[in-house]
Amino acid sequence: MQKELLKKANARQAYDDIADKIEELRRKKQELLLEDANDEGSRQRVEEMEKMLDEMGTAVMEYDESLVRKLIEKITVYDGHFVVEFKSGLETEVAI
């Protein structure tokens, strides 16, 4: 598209539509790069959480405040269910 833009510009033809398309593609590329970076960060947080749980070695049989603070970002309560958002970015819905 950039080559086409240069051809039209050199030929003194209208090139606004190509310039707009190039700009749109650049914007989409930036969005995808941001999304990829966020996905990578989430993947790393999940791996860290898995590693921590593996290192614990035993099943959790009672409430552990420090474990909750390490794993859970927030809990949102609704009528009939609640949503647990982990620090890794994962969410799970629990019916009451």
Side-chain angles (χ1 to χ4, degrees):
M1 293 193 97
Q2 289 176 339
K3 288 179 183 179
E4 183 68 26
L5 176 69
L6 287 173
K7 285 180 189 177
K8 286 194 174 207
N10 288 334
R12 300 188 191 278
Q13 297 174 349
Y15 56 85
D16 290 341
D17 58 331
I18 293 175
D20 291 342
K21 287 179 185 177
I22 290 172
E23 185 60 34
E24 176 66 16
L25 290 172
R26 284 185 181 145
R27 187 186 61 74
K28 285 182 181 180
K29 179 182 178 183
Q30 185 64 30
E31 287 175 5
L32 290 172
L33 289 172
L34 256 170
E35 187 178 313
D36 188 46
N38 288 335
D39 289 347
E40 178 65 21
S42 293
R43 186 189 60 75
Q44 287 177 347
R45 288 190 301 274
V46 168
E47 286 177 2
E48 290 170 3
M49 186 171 66
E50 288 174 343
K51 182 180 176 185
M52 184 189 71
L53 291 172
D54 287 342
E55 289 172 356
M56 288 179 59
T58 60
V60 177
M61 301 304 287
E62 60 188 42
Y63 179 79
D64 183 341
E65 180 74 22
S66 65
L67 183 60
V68 169
R69 294 201 177 273
K70 288 179 186 177
L71 296 177
I72 296 175
E73 181 68 30
K74 69 178 178 178
I75 299 173
T76 308
V77 180
Y78 300 96
D79 289 334
H81 73 281
F82 59 93
V83 176
V84 179
E85 182 181 330
F86 293 92
K87 291 190 176 181
S88 67
L90 297 174
E91 290 184 1
T92 187
E93 185 173 325
V94 179
I96 300 176

